[in-house]
Amino acid sequence: MGGAVSAGEDNDELIDNLKEAQYIRTELVEQAFRAIDRADYYLEEFKDNAYKDLAWKHGNIHLSAPCIYSEVMEALDLQPGLSFLNLGSGTGYLSSMVGLILGPFGVNHGVELHSDVIEYAKQKLDFFIKTSDSFDKFEFCEPSFVTGNCLEISPDCTQYDRVYCGAGVQKEHEDYMKNLLKVGGILVMPLEEKLTKITRTGPSAWETKKILAVSFAPLIQPNHADSGKSRLVHL
């Protein structure tokens, strides 16, 4: 997935290419992308590929293509002080970019299935906070990550202003995802092979917009065979 823009030599060149191709269209999104070096989220031996417009996967670690993250960030229409939920938060790359826009009064939560990926994300977040020049230029809403299946979020959890799901959603889970949103909120997810933006315009009213064709690995269904009961995710 990806390959829509030519490879850059460094992070700034990658962002220049994404801007030129109209994937990055707003200043806030551009600033967030420039502030966080995509290569920092790669394992050392794969960093040569960091500035290509391609997805990357190694074991459970996964990054979507830069053009996809650009479209997601633009579609979320982020503003300071909002609450954000990232389903399948992975390396934390997207959550950290979002946190730069949300600022000190935002909420920034991630749910990730694999505990090894949560550890990886925490290391990357720590590295960003300790080493990045840009960290001092932003008021950062630090993401917090919990391990669990995003289809098992506790029904008593609060709703969010913005929700992103980084795995393919089937029609049967569309309503579950929509109910994580506050009225006025925006949900962005791959729904039936289309990156889709859903805005909750009222308690039971929605506006849906298809953004682009995508190919994502599907959501992993909860497996209760071993214990017989679900493990609710509390945020």
Side-chain angles (χ1 to χ4, degrees):
M1 196 61 231
V5 303
S6 53
E9 290 294 312
D10 58 23
N11 199 63
D12 276 327
E13 205 168 289
L14 171 65
I15 309 314
D16 291 343
N17 293 341
L18 290 166
K19 271 187 73 181
E20 195 177 327
Q22 291 285 299
Y23 285 102
I24 293 177
R25 301 181 286 278
T26 58
E27 198 174 325
L28 272 181
V29 170
E30 180 186 347
Q31 286 171 349
F33 268 89
R34 289 199 191 279
I36 297 184
D37 195 321
R38 182 175 163 89
D40 290 344
Y41 288 79
Y42 274 67
L43 290 167
E44 198 60 47
E45 62 267 36
F46 300 103
K47 283 191 174 180
D48 287 354
N49 293 320
Y51 307 121
K52 294 175 182 168
D53 189 27
L54 297 170
W56 172 63
K57 186 165 172 41
H58 183 78
N60 292 325
I61 301 166
H62 176 262
L63 280 166
S64 291
C67 68
I68 301 294
Y69 283 134
S70 307
E71 287 288 5
V72 169
M73 289 281 285
E74 292 287 0
L76 285 168
D77 188 20
L78 297 160
Q79 295 147 33
L82 295 180
S83 56
F84 173 65
L85 176 61
N86 189 354
L87 303 172
S89 51
T91 64
Y93 172 63
L94 180 71
S95 290
S96 290
M97 288 197 291
V98 169
L100 295 173
I101 297 175
L102 297 182
F105 305 111
V107 172
N108 194 354
H109 291 163
V111 179
E112 169 56 48
L113 191 60
H114 303 288
S115 54
D116 60 324
V117 180
I118 292 249
E119 280 314 303
Y120 187 85
K122 286 178 176 171
Q123 287 166 18
K124 297 300 175 190
L125 177 62
D126 196 47
F127 179 79
F128 170 66
I129 289 170
K130 286 179 175 163
T131 65
S132 171
D133 293 341
S134 54
F135 178 70
D136 299 325
K137 297 174 190 159
F138 291 84
E139 293 192 275
F140 187 47
C141 181
E142 189 173 322
S144 59
F145 306 113
V146 295
T147 310
N149 188 307
C150 66
L151 291 172
E152 297 187 296
I153 290 169
S154 172
D156 58 7
C157 278
T158 59
Q159 293 172 315
Y160 290 79
D161 298 304
R162 300 290 186 269
V163 177
Y164 172 64
C165 180
V169 177
Q170 298 310 308
K171 201 75 183 158
E172 70 214 62
H173 294 121
E174 183 180 353
D175 287 344
Y176 169 90
M177 294 291 175
K178 283 155 85 168
N179 285 322
L180 297 169
L181 270 191
K182 292 179 184 175
V183 173
I186 294 171
L187 163 67
V188 178
M189 61 181 176
L191 180 66
E192 299 182 307
E193 306 291 304
K194 295 271 195 313
L195 190 65
T196 305
K197 174 180 179 173
I198 297 175
T199 307
R200 187 169 198 167
T201 55
S204 53
W206 316 86
E207 275 177 11
T208 301
K209 180 186 174 193
K210 304 256 189 284
I211 301 171
L212 77 167
V214 289
S215 174
F216 275 68
L219 278 173
I220 291 173
Q221 303 295 317
N223 178 7
H224 304 145
D226 44 352
S227 64
K229 62 178 188 291
S230 71
R231 300 174 203 70
L232 286 181
V233 176
H234 296 276
L235 294 154

